[in-house]
Amino acid sequence: ITVQAPHPPLLMGGGAEAALRRIGRIADGWISSSRTDLTSIGGSVELIRASAVEAGRWFTARGVAVAVITLGAKGAVVVQQDQVDVLDPFPVEVVDTTAAGDAFTGALGTGLAAGRPLPVALQRAMAAAALAVTVRGASPSLPTAEAVDAFLER
């Protein structure tokens, strides 16, 4: 998705995955929205995160201000020109990962559109994805803003 002001353009999810596949830099599954659980790829968390950082740097070198690369059960990586942040996942009991990427994307976009700073919007997106994987099914698993608030307050 792309989010305009007050935040710089943001690239994440399926668009990043498709672009990386076209240039052949990273194998399928290393950049994920909600379809791929990276634990099935194997490799250490450090190796997976390092590859995500490399992918993010490819995008920032080409003018993308912020690249958010979700890593399923391994969290997410946020790459900007002068900064890399690794976001650890919230520990939850996973039931179904079907809508995790949708929950993340929706919460991030909603947070940014509401004027929240990027770190706050990312924390809420991580929480929304964590909540989503605790419920079976796609639509039923998408958390409300109130559920995200309650989760973050615990």
Side-chain angles (χ1 to χ4, degrees), residues 9 31 44 60 65 71 109 112 118 140 153:
I31 306 303
S44 69
T60 59
L71 304 172
L112 294 175
L118 181 60
E153 289 173 6

Side-chain angles (χ1 to χ4, degrees), residues 57-82:
R57 286 194 174 132
W58 185 90
F59 284 107
T60 59
R62 285 154 181 82
V64 173
V66 180
V68 177
I69 301 163
T70 58
L71 304 172
K74 303 217 186 320
V77 173
V78 182
V79 181
Q80 300 176 63
Q81 287 292 335
D82 58 348

Side-chain angles (χ1 to χ4, degrees), residues 96 98-100 103 128 131-143:
D96 182 357
T98 301
L131 284 169
V133 302
T134 66
V135 177
R136 187 165 309 285
S139 294
S141 71
L142 295 173

Side-chain angles (χ1 to χ4, degrees), residues 45-126:
V45 171
E46 294 79 16
L47 176 62
I48 291 169
R49 286 180 175 167
S51 296
V53 169
E54 179 183 346
R57 286 194 174 132
W58 185 90
F59 284 107
T60 59
R62 285 154 181 82
V64 173
V66 180
V68 177
I69 301 163
T70 58
L71 304 172
K74 303 217 186 320
V77 173
V78 182
V79 181
Q80 300 176 63
Q81 287 292 335
D82 58 348
Q83 182 176 333
V84 173
D85 294 302
V86 175
L87 307 176
D88 291 320
F90 288 101
V92 294
E93 179 96 17
V94 176
V95 173
D96 182 357
T97 62
T98 301
D102 296 323
F104 182 95
T105 302
L108 180 59
T110 300
L112 294 175
R116 288 192 168 104
L118 181 60
V120 173
L122 285 164
Q123 181 186 37
R124 292 184 64 77
M126 295 292 288

